[in-house]
Amino acid sequence: MNQLSKILALFLVKLIILLLVISPNVISAQRTSTSVNINRNGKTTISIKNGFGNNFSIEYQGDITLSDDDTDVVAISRDGYMEIKKSAFGNRRRVYIEPDNSGQLIKKYYVGSSQKDFDSEGKKWLSEILLEVVRSTTLGAEKRVDRLYKMGGSYKVLNEVGKMTSNHVKARYIKLLLEKDLKEKDLNSVLNEVADIDSNHHRADILKNNTKAFLAYESTTSSYIQATSSIDSDHHKADVLKRSIRDGDISDTQMKALFVITDDIDSDHHKASVLQEVLNKRTLTNNNLKLLITTAKGIDSDHHKATVLRKALETDGISQSVSNTLLASVENMSSDHHIASVFKSMVDDEMDSESLSNLLRVVEHNMSSDNHQSDVLKKIAYNQSLSGGSLNAYLSTTKDIDSDHHKAEVFKTLARKNFSNSELVQILEATTSIDSDYHKTETLLRFASEVRNEGTIVKDAYTRACKDIDSESHFGRALKAIQ
């Protein structure tokens, strides 16, 4: 053997040793892929690939009955059959089983293309492969779950589920177990197993289709919410949460946990859809309404956030604390359009002076659009009582409007309300912030009829406002209106 041949031989020996050492770990780390096909005649074909050529397939038709220890096939319905094939590292084995006319099973065993004696070799191989088959497929799942449950209740079934790698098979066994009359402890154990399923789809499918069972107890409801929080997909997480809101009687304490989970949803659309479902289906305490609004603050989209906040404002008996929380949620919105839409809904109902003053400060400092600012201020003038601190805040916000047209429109809306003499003087003095002689005159004329019926103090305030008009013709029109 020349030197090159020796080097190659040594390399191959080392490679084989390395593969023997790492192959079990590598194979177990491979993602198992399963394909299932069921044709019109009821024939089922299942192919499972575990990587590195360690693959097997099952083809069967009819009703298959396994032994109690899952090591043998004990019955197959008339005209049925079962075939199991496995290949590993080039080694191919196959078992074919079918009933004869009397129902007795005919079992054949093959290695490669050669048939071998079943009793001496095939029986042992079948007992070894069959447990792998039932843990990798849903073959005989209904009967296995029934048998395991009779032997040791939900513990026995879930112990078997823990030995499975396929999310699909795990989910099937858990769904069959949930058809039993499970107690609180059993349901908590099921939920712990559900949380270990890697597939968001299968995890969510179990949770949302068994809501009533899981929400029957306080402890299981908490476990249910925790299992839901472990779902990575925003779509699936929101779907489960909305189903639990619709179907379950969630306590106020558990509702807090629900908001924590909802806050973890990244998608603005899905987060908003969950919060809207809560508002549609549940009567909230002020504390939980505050939590909902705080959760809505984490929505980046002004559109989705405004939709939730407007819906929240439909709740009866909103406290001042809730109003302040809502204002805090609005402060990080950038769209004047959406801020205005929320505030116009908010001022439909009478607000206390402090809450209204806080709202006006947000309008002044967080909105830049003259049009939207004036829209909110006009709505406030129609629906709210303005006095004291709230009137001061209102006039400060009005004076902050750059457009004389929009500013004048706000003052004209105020002219429709009744104010005390001191408040009227305060308003007239604020009109001096209007730069345009035309708009200032048109604004003062709206107050003229009321001023004519008031005393000297109000008339003097009106006259001082007129003196701020540069145009003689406009000045004359405004002053003549109160004479």
Side-chain angles (χ1 to χ4, degrees), residues 149 152-156 158 177-178 181-193 213-214 216-221 223:
Y149 188 76
S154 62
Y155 172 80
K156 190 73 173 178
L158 293 174
L177 176 60
L178 284 166
D181 184 20
L182 302 185
K183 306 302 181 185
E184 181 176 359
K185 182 180 178 181
D186 299 321
L187 289 168
N188 275 311
S189 297
V190 169
L191 284 164
N192 288 335
E193 196 64 47
F214 290 135
Y217 308 95
E218 282 283 328
S219 64
T220 56
T221 301
S223 298

PDB file of all heavy atoms in Angstrom, residues 149 152-156 158 177-178 181-193 213-214 216-221 223:
ATOM      1  N   TYR A 149     -55.766   5.372  29.365  1.00  0.00           N
ATOM      2  CA  TYR A 149     -56.564   6.099  30.368  1.00  0.00           C
ATOM      3  C   TYR A 149     -57.149   5.134  31.397  1.00  0.00           C
ATOM      4  O   TYR A 149     -57.189   5.428  32.592  1.00  0.00           O
ATOM      5  CB  TYR A 149     -57.670   6.888  29.673  1.00  0.00           C
ATOM      6  CG  TYR A 149     -58.424   7.823  30.596  1.00  0.00           C
ATOM      7  CD1 TYR A 149     -57.844   9.025  31.018  1.00  0.00           C
ATOM      8  CD2 TYR A 149     -59.704   7.505  31.046  1.00  0.00           C
ATOM      9  CE1 TYR A 149     -58.515   9.884  31.863  1.00  0.00           C
ATOM     10  CE2 TYR A 149     -60.391   8.367  31.890  1.00  0.00           C
ATOM     11  CZ  TYR A 149     -59.794   9.548  32.296  1.00  0.00           C
ATOM     12  OH  TYR A 149     -60.467  10.395  33.142  1.00  0.00           O
ATOM     13  N   GLY A 152     -54.169   4.101  33.754  1.00  0.00           N
ATOM     14  CA  GLY A 152     -53.588   5.052  34.718  1.00  0.00           C
ATOM     15  C   GLY A 152     -54.080   6.475  34.587  1.00  0.00           C
ATOM     16  O   GLY A 152     -53.376   7.406  34.988  1.00  0.00           O
ATOM     17  N   GLY A 153     -55.259   6.675  34.014  1.00  0.00           N
ATOM     18  CA  GLY A 153     -55.837   8.013  33.926  1.00  0.00           C
ATOM     19  C   GLY A 153     -55.036   8.933  33.027  1.00  0.00           C
ATOM     20  O   GLY A 153     -54.249   8.508  32.167  1.00  0.00           O
ATOM     21  N   SER A 154     -55.222  10.235  33.222  1.00  0.00           N
ATOM     22  CA  SER A 154     -54.556  11.223  32.375  1.00  0.00           C
ATOM     23  C   SER A 154     -53.039  11.166  32.521  1.00  0.00           C
ATOM     24  O   SER A 154     -52.304  11.453  31.577  1.00  0.00           O
ATOM     25  CB  SER A 154     -55.062  12.631  32.703  1.00  0.00           C
ATOM     26  OG  SER A 154     -54.768  12.964  34.044  1.00  0.00           O
ATOM     27  N   TYR A 155     -52.549  10.773  33.710  1.00  0.00           N
ATOM     28  CA  TYR A 155     -51.098  10.677  33.919  1.00  0.00           C
ATOM     29  C   TYR A 155     -50.469   9.701  32.928  1.00  0.00           C
ATOM     30  O   TYR A 155     -49.427   9.992  32.336  1.00  0.00           O
ATOM     31  CB  TYR A 155     -50.796  10.227  35.351  1.00  0.00           C
ATOM     32  CG  TYR A 155     -49.339   9.913  35.580  1.00  0.00           C
ATOM     33  CD1 TYR A 155     -48.408  10.934  35.802  1.00  0.00           C
ATOM     34  CD2 TYR A 155     -48.884   8.590  35.529  1.00  0.00           C
ATOM     35  CE1 TYR A 155     -47.058  10.637  35.976  1.00  0.00           C
ATOM     36  CE2 TYR A 155     -47.548   8.288  35.702  1.00  0.00           C
ATOM     37  CZ  TYR A 155     -46.639   9.317  35.925  1.00  0.00           C
ATOM     38  OH  TYR A 155     -45.307   9.029  36.087  1.00  0.00           O
ATOM     39  N   LYS A 156     -51.127   8.545  32.762  1.00  0.00           N
ATOM     40  CA  LYS A 156     -50.585   7.524  31.866  1.00  0.00           C
ATOM     41  C   LYS A 156     -50.574   8.015  30.421  1.00  0.00           C
ATOM     42  O   LYS A 156     -49.606   7.803  29.681  1.00  0.00           O
ATOM     43  CB  LYS A 156     -51.444   6.256  31.973  1.00  0.00           C
ATOM     44  CG  LYS A 156     -50.862   5.040  31.289  1.00  0.00           C
ATOM     45  CD  LYS A 156     -49.685   4.471  32.057  1.00  0.00           C
ATOM     46  CE  LYS A 156     -49.214   3.155  31.441  1.00  0.00           C
ATOM     47  NZ  LYS A 156     -48.029   2.628  32.158  1.00  0.00           N
ATOM     48  N   LEU A 158     -50.565  11.229  29.347  1.00  0.00           N
ATOM     49  CA  LEU A 158     -49.621  12.340  29.183  1.00  0.00           C
ATOM     50  C   LEU A 158     -48.179  11.862  29.277  1.00  0.00           C
ATOM     51  O   LEU A 158     -47.283  12.441  28.650  1.00  0.00           O
ATOM     52  CB  LEU A 158     -49.894  13.416  30.235  1.00  0.00           C
ATOM     53  CG  LEU A 158     -51.234  14.152  30.075  1.00  0.00           C
ATOM     54  CD1 LEU A 158     -51.472  15.097  31.244  1.00  0.00           C
ATOM     55  CD2 LEU A 158     -51.280  14.915  28.757  1.00  0.00           C
ATOM     56  N   LEU A 177     -57.700  12.847  24.830  1.00  0.00           N
ATOM     57  CA  LEU A 177     -57.755  12.840  26.296  1.00  0.00           C
ATOM     58  C   LEU A 177     -58.768  13.851  26.808  1.00  0.00           C
ATOM     59  O   LEU A 177     -59.483  13.593  27.789  1.00  0.00           O
ATOM     60  CB  LEU A 177     -56.363  13.131  26.863  1.00  0.00           C
ATOM     61  CG  LEU A 177     -56.263  13.257  28.391  1.00  0.00           C
ATOM     62  CD1 LEU A 177     -56.722  11.964  29.079  1.00  0.00           C
ATOM     63  CD2 LEU A 177     -54.831  13.595  28.803  1.00  0.00           C
ATOM     64  N   LEU A 178     -58.859  14.988  26.138  1.00  0.00           N
ATOM     65  CA  LEU A 178     -59.781  16.039  26.576  1.00  0.00           C
ATOM     66  C   LEU A 178     -61.249  15.654  26.367  1.00  0.00           C
ATOM     67  O   LEU A 178     -62.148  16.338  26.884  1.00  0.00           O
ATOM     68  CB  LEU A 178     -59.475  17.346  25.834  1.00  0.00           C
ATOM     69  CG  LEU A 178     -58.223  18.088  26.328  1.00  0.00           C
ATOM     70  CD1 LEU A 178     -57.806  19.154  25.332  1.00  0.00           C
ATOM     71  CD2 LEU A 178     -58.470  18.694  27.701  1.00  0.00           C
ATOM     72  N   ASP A 181     -63.769  12.841  30.998  1.00  0.00           N
ATOM     73  CA  ASP A 181     -64.279  13.697  32.064  1.00  0.00           C
ATOM     74  C   ASP A 181     -63.134  14.037  33.012  1.00  0.00           C
ATOM     75  O   ASP A 181     -62.935  13.402  34.057  1.00  0.00           O
ATOM     76  CB  ASP A 181     -65.408  12.981  32.814  1.00  0.00           C
ATOM     77  CG  ASP A 181     -66.037  13.868  33.885  1.00  0.00           C
ATOM     78  OD1 ASP A 181     -65.879  15.102  33.784  1.00  0.00           O
ATOM     79  OD2 ASP A 181     -66.658  13.306  34.808  1.00  0.00           O
ATOM     80  N   LEU A 182     -62.347  15.053  32.642  1.00  0.00           N
ATOM     81  CA  LEU A 182     -61.137  15.393  33.390  1.00  0.00           C
ATOM     82  C   LEU A 182     -61.432  16.330  34.549  1.00  0.00           C
ATOM     83  O   LEU A 182     -62.289  17.209  34.468  1.00  0.00           O
ATOM     84  CB  LEU A 182     -60.102  16.031  32.458  1.00  0.00           C
ATOM     85  CG  LEU A 182     -59.656  15.188  31.257  1.00  0.00           C
ATOM     86  CD1 LEU A 182     -58.547  15.902  30.507  1.00  0.00           C
ATOM     87  CD2 LEU A 182     -59.201  13.801  31.686  1.00  0.00           C
ATOM     88  N   LYS A 183     -60.678  16.140  35.627  1.00  0.00           N
ATOM     89  CA  LYS A 183     -60.803  16.985  36.808  1.00  0.00           C
ATOM     90  C   LYS A 183     -59.798  18.130  36.737  1.00  0.00           C
ATOM     91  O   LYS A 183     -58.967  18.206  35.826  1.00  0.00           O
ATOM     92  CB  LYS A 183     -60.588  16.160  38.080  1.00  0.00           C
ATOM     93  CG  LYS A 183     -61.492  14.930  38.182  1.00  0.00           C
ATOM     94  CD  LYS A 183     -62.969  15.314  38.130  1.00  0.00           C
ATOM     95  CE  LYS A 183     -63.862  14.085  38.258  1.00  0.00           C
ATOM     96  NZ  LYS A 183     -65.290  14.417  38.084  1.00  0.00           N
ATOM     97  N   GLU A 184     -59.870  19.018  37.713  1.00  0.00           N
ATOM     98  CA  GLU A 184     -59.032  20.217  37.721  1.00  0.00           C
ATOM     99  C   GLU A 184     -57.545  19.867  37.638  1.00  0.00           C
ATOM    100  O   GLU A 184     -56.800  20.459  36.843  1.00  0.00           O
ATOM    101  CB  GLU A 184     -59.315  21.021  38.999  1.00  0.00           C
ATOM    102  CG  GLU A 184     -58.519  22.316  39.103  1.00  0.00           C
ATOM    103  CD  GLU A 184     -58.905  23.126  40.337  1.00  0.00           C
ATOM    104  OE1 GLU A 184     -59.808  22.678  41.092  1.00  0.00           O
ATOM    105  OE2 GLU A 184     -58.319  24.191  40.544  1.00  0.00           O
ATOM    106  N   LYS A 185     -57.095  18.919  38.438  1.00  0.00           N
ATOM    107  CA  LYS A 185     -55.682  18.537  38.438  1.00  0.00           C
ATOM    108  C   LYS A 185     -55.264  17.995  37.078  1.00  0.00           C
ATOM    109  O   LYS A 185     -54.172  18.290  36.575  1.00  0.00           O
ATOM    110  CB  LYS A 185     -55.430  17.494  39.532  1.00  0.00           C
ATOM    111  CG  LYS A 185     -53.975  17.065  39.660  1.00  0.00           C
ATOM    112  CD  LYS A 185     -53.817  16.038  40.767  1.00  0.00           C
ATOM    113  CE  LYS A 185     -52.364  15.573  40.874  1.00  0.00           C
ATOM    114  NZ  LYS A 185     -52.194  14.545  41.943  1.00  0.00           N
ATOM    115  N   ASP A 186     -56.148  17.176  36.477  1.00  0.00           N
ATOM    116  CA  ASP A 186     -55.847  16.606  35.158  1.00  0.00           C
ATOM    117  C   ASP A 186     -55.706  17.707  34.109  1.00  0.00           C
ATOM    118  O   ASP A 186     -54.801  17.665  33.262  1.00  0.00           O
ATOM    119  CB  ASP A 186     -56.965  15.645  34.735  1.00  0.00           C
ATOM    120  CG  ASP A 186     -57.120  14.471  35.694  1.00  0.00           C
ATOM    121  OD1 ASP A 186     -56.099  13.968  36.163  1.00  0.00           O
ATOM    122  OD2 ASP A 186     -58.269  14.083  35.961  1.00  0.00           O
ATOM    123  N   LEU A 187     -56.607  18.679  34.154  1.00  0.00           N
ATOM    124  CA  LEU A 187     -56.584  19.760  33.161  1.00  0.00           C
ATOM    125  C   LEU A 187     -55.315  20.596  33.291  1.00  0.00           C
ATOM    126  O   LEU A 187     -54.748  21.034  32.284  1.00  0.00           O
ATOM    127  CB  LEU A 187     -57.827  20.637  33.330  1.00  0.00           C
ATOM    128  CG  LEU A 187     -59.151  19.982  32.901  1.00  0.00           C
ATOM    129  CD1 LEU A 187     -60.336  20.807  33.388  1.00  0.00           C
ATOM    130  CD2 LEU A 187     -59.216  19.811  31.390  1.00  0.00           C
ATOM    131  N   ASN A 188     -54.863  20.816  34.518  1.00  0.00           N
ATOM    132  CA  ASN A 188     -53.606  21.549  34.705  1.00  0.00           C
ATOM    133  C   ASN A 188     -52.430  20.777  34.117  1.00  0.00           C
ATOM    134  O   ASN A 188     -51.529  21.360  33.504  1.00  0.00           O
ATOM    135  CB  ASN A 188     -53.372  21.818  36.197  1.00  0.00           C
ATOM    136  CG  ASN A 188     -54.066  23.071  36.680  1.00  0.00           C
ATOM    137  OD1 ASN A 188     -53.960  24.130  36.064  1.00  0.00           O
ATOM    138  ND2 ASN A 188     -54.791  22.973  37.769  1.00  0.00           N
ATOM    139  N   SER A 189     -52.447  19.445  34.279  1.00  0.00           N
ATOM    140  CA  SER A 189     -51.386  18.608  33.709  1.00  0.00           C
ATOM    141  C   SER A 189     -51.419  18.661  32.186  1.00  0.00           C
ATOM    142  O   SER A 189     -50.373  18.710  31.526  1.00  0.00           O
ATOM    143  CB  SER A 189     -51.547  17.157  34.188  1.00  0.00           C
ATOM    144  OG  SER A 189     -51.411  17.069  35.587  1.00  0.00           O
ATOM    145  N   VAL A 190     -52.628  18.646  31.632  1.00  0.00           N
ATOM    146  CA  VAL A 190     -52.771  18.750  30.170  1.00  0.00           C
ATOM    147  C   VAL A 190     -52.186  20.073  29.685  1.00  0.00           C
ATOM    148  O   VAL A 190     -51.452  20.124  28.688  1.00  0.00           O
ATOM    149  CB  VAL A 190     -54.252  18.640  29.763  1.00  0.00           C
ATOM    150  CG1 VAL A 190     -54.423  19.006  28.294  1.00  0.00           C
ATOM    151  CG2 VAL A 190     -54.769  17.228  29.999  1.00  0.00           C
ATOM    152  N   LEU A 191     -52.505  21.160  30.373  1.00  0.00           N
ATOM    153  CA  LEU A 191     -52.030  22.486  29.957  1.00  0.00           C
ATOM    154  C   LEU A 191     -50.515  22.581  30.036  1.00  0.00           C
ATOM    155  O   LEU A 191     -49.882  23.242  29.207  1.00  0.00           O
ATOM    156  CB  LEU A 191     -52.688  23.563  30.816  1.00  0.00           C
ATOM    157  CG  LEU A 191     -54.143  23.864  30.454  1.00  0.00           C
ATOM    158  CD1 LEU A 191     -54.838  24.639  31.554  1.00  0.00           C
ATOM    159  CD2 LEU A 191     -54.220  24.627  29.144  1.00  0.00           C
ATOM    160  N   ASN A 192     -49.915  21.932  31.023  1.00  0.00           N
ATOM    161  CA  ASN A 192     -48.450  21.922  31.110  1.00  0.00           C
ATOM    162  C   ASN A 192     -47.857  21.213  29.899  1.00  0.00           C
ATOM    163  O   ASN A 192     -46.819  21.623  29.368  1.00  0.00           O
ATOM    164  CB  ASN A 192     -48.009  21.217  32.395  1.00  0.00           C
ATOM    165  CG  ASN A 192     -48.296  22.036  33.630  1.00  0.00           C
ATOM    166  OD1 ASN A 192     -48.380  23.256  33.560  1.00  0.00           O
ATOM    167  ND2 ASN A 192     -48.460  21.381  34.761  1.00  0.00           N
ATOM    168  N   GLU A 193     -48.526  20.139  29.440  1.00  0.00           N
ATOM    169  CA  GLU A 193     -48.048  19.413  28.268  1.00  0.00           C
ATOM    170  C   GLU A 193     -48.275  20.226  26.993  1.00  0.00           C
ATOM    171  O   GLU A 193     -47.442  20.220  26.075  1.00  0.00           O
ATOM    172  CB  GLU A 193     -48.753  18.066  28.172  1.00  0.00           C
ATOM    173  CG  GLU A 193     -48.084  17.075  27.253  1.00  0.00           C
ATOM    174  CD  GLU A 193     -46.690  16.669  27.731  1.00  0.00           C
ATOM    175  OE1 GLU A 193     -46.537  16.363  28.927  1.00  0.00           O
ATOM    176  OE2 GLU A 193     -45.769  16.679  26.890  1.00  0.00           O
ATOM    177  N   ALA A 213     -63.625  23.969  28.944  1.00  0.00           N
ATOM    178  CA  ALA A 213     -63.052  23.005  29.890  1.00  0.00           C
ATOM    179  C   ALA A 213     -61.911  23.627  30.685  1.00  0.00           C
ATOM    180  O   ALA A 213     -61.837  23.488  31.909  1.00  0.00           O
ATOM    181  CB  ALA A 213     -62.549  21.774  29.139  1.00  0.00           C
ATOM    182  N   PHE A 214     -61.040  24.359  29.990  1.00  0.00           N
ATOM    183  CA  PHE A 214     -59.884  24.938  30.659  1.00  0.00           C
ATOM    184  C   PHE A 214     -60.257  26.090  31.595  1.00  0.00           C
ATOM    185  O   PHE A 214     -59.548  26.367  32.559  1.00  0.00           O
ATOM    186  CB  PHE A 214     -58.861  25.430  29.627  1.00  0.00           C
ATOM    187  CG  PHE A 214     -58.157  24.328  28.889  1.00  0.00           C
ATOM    188  CD1 PHE A 214     -57.982  24.378  27.518  1.00  0.00           C
ATOM    189  CD2 PHE A 214     -57.663  23.236  29.566  1.00  0.00           C
ATOM    190  CE1 PHE A 214     -57.334  23.364  26.835  1.00  0.00           C
ATOM    191  CE2 PHE A 214     -57.018  22.201  28.895  1.00  0.00           C
ATOM    192  CZ  PHE A 214     -56.851  22.272  27.523  1.00  0.00           C
ATOM    193  N   ALA A 216     -62.908  26.263  33.460  1.00  0.00           N
ATOM    194  CA  ALA A 216     -63.891  25.818  34.458  1.00  0.00           C
ATOM    195  C   ALA A 216     -63.412  26.070  35.887  1.00  0.00           C
ATOM    196  O   ALA A 216     -64.215  26.124  36.815  1.00  0.00           O
ATOM    197  CB  ALA A 216     -64.186  24.335  34.266  1.00  0.00           C
ATOM    198  N   TYR A 217     -62.105  26.234  36.074  1.00  0.00           N
ATOM    199  CA  TYR A 217     -61.538  26.435  37.414  1.00  0.00           C
ATOM    200  C   TYR A 217     -60.582  27.625  37.397  1.00  0.00           C
ATOM    201  O   TYR A 217     -60.017  27.976  36.370  1.00  0.00           O
ATOM    202  CB  TYR A 217     -60.775  25.186  37.879  1.00  0.00           C
ATOM    203  CG  TYR A 217     -61.572  23.911  37.789  1.00  0.00           C
ATOM    204  CD1 TYR A 217     -61.462  23.089  36.655  1.00  0.00           C
ATOM    205  CD2 TYR A 217     -62.408  23.503  38.813  1.00  0.00           C
ATOM    206  CE1 TYR A 217     -62.177  21.902  36.554  1.00  0.00           C
ATOM    207  CE2 TYR A 217     -63.133  22.315  38.728  1.00  0.00           C
ATOM    208  CZ  TYR A 217     -63.010  21.525  37.592  1.00  0.00           C
ATOM    209  OH  TYR A 217     -63.718  20.355  37.494  1.00  0.00           O
ATOM    210  N   GLU A 218     -60.387  28.206  38.588  1.00  0.00           N
ATOM    211  CA  GLU A 218     -59.460  29.342  38.710  1.00  0.00           C
ATOM    212  C   GLU A 218     -58.050  28.943  38.305  1.00  0.00           C
ATOM    213  O   GLU A 218     -57.391  29.630  37.535  1.00  0.00           O
ATOM    214  CB  GLU A 218     -59.458  29.853  40.154  1.00  0.00           C
ATOM    215  CG  GLU A 218     -60.647  30.711  40.533  1.00  0.00           C
ATOM    216  CD  GLU A 218     -60.537  32.127  39.985  1.00  0.00           C
ATOM    217  OE1 GLU A 218     -59.413  32.632  39.855  1.00  0.00           O
ATOM    218  OE2 GLU A 218     -61.583  32.701  39.666  1.00  0.00           O
ATOM    219  N   SER A 219     -57.582  27.801  38.833  1.00  0.00           N
ATOM    220  CA  SER A 219     -56.193  27.403  38.586  1.00  0.00           C
ATOM    221  C   SER A 219     -55.964  27.061  37.116  1.00  0.00           C
ATOM    222  O   SER A 219     -54.928  27.390  36.542  1.00  0.00           O
ATOM    223  CB  SER A 219     -55.821  26.207  39.468  1.00  0.00           C
ATOM    224  OG  SER A 219     -56.595  25.068  39.120  1.00  0.00           O
ATOM    225  N   THR A 220     -56.954  26.382  36.502  1.00  0.00           N
ATOM    226  CA  THR A 220     -56.782  26.016  35.097  1.00  0.00           C
ATOM    227  C   THR A 220     -56.869  27.231  34.185  1.00  0.00           C
ATOM    228  O   THR A 220     -56.213  27.275  33.141  1.00  0.00           O
ATOM    229  CB  THR A 220     -57.827  24.969  34.660  1.00  0.00           C
ATOM    230  OG1 THR A 220     -59.148  25.474  34.931  1.00  0.00           O
ATOM    231  CG2 THR A 220     -57.627  23.666  35.388  1.00  0.00           C
ATOM    232  N   THR A 221     -57.660  28.223  34.579  1.00  0.00           N
ATOM    233  CA  THR A 221     -57.730  29.454  33.791  1.00  0.00           C
ATOM    234  C   THR A 221     -56.374  30.155  33.788  1.00  0.00           C
ATOM    235  O   THR A 221     -55.899  30.637  32.760  1.00  0.00           O
ATOM    236  CB  THR A 221     -58.813  30.398  34.347  1.00  0.00           C
ATOM    237  OG1 THR A 221     -60.069  29.741  34.313  1.00  0.00           O
ATOM    238  CG2 THR A 221     -58.897  31.675  33.514  1.00  0.00           C
ATOM    239  N   SER A 223     -53.464  28.684  34.264  1.00  0.00           N
ATOM    240  CA  SER A 223     -52.565  27.856  33.452  1.00  0.00           C
ATOM    241  C   SER A 223     -52.845  28.046  31.964  1.00  0.00           C
ATOM    242  O   SER A 223     -51.933  28.049  31.133  1.00  0.00           O
ATOM    243  CB  SER A 223     -52.730  26.377  33.820  1.00  0.00           C
ATOM    244  OG  SER A 223     -52.384  26.150  35.159  1.00  0.00           O
TER     245      SER A 223
END
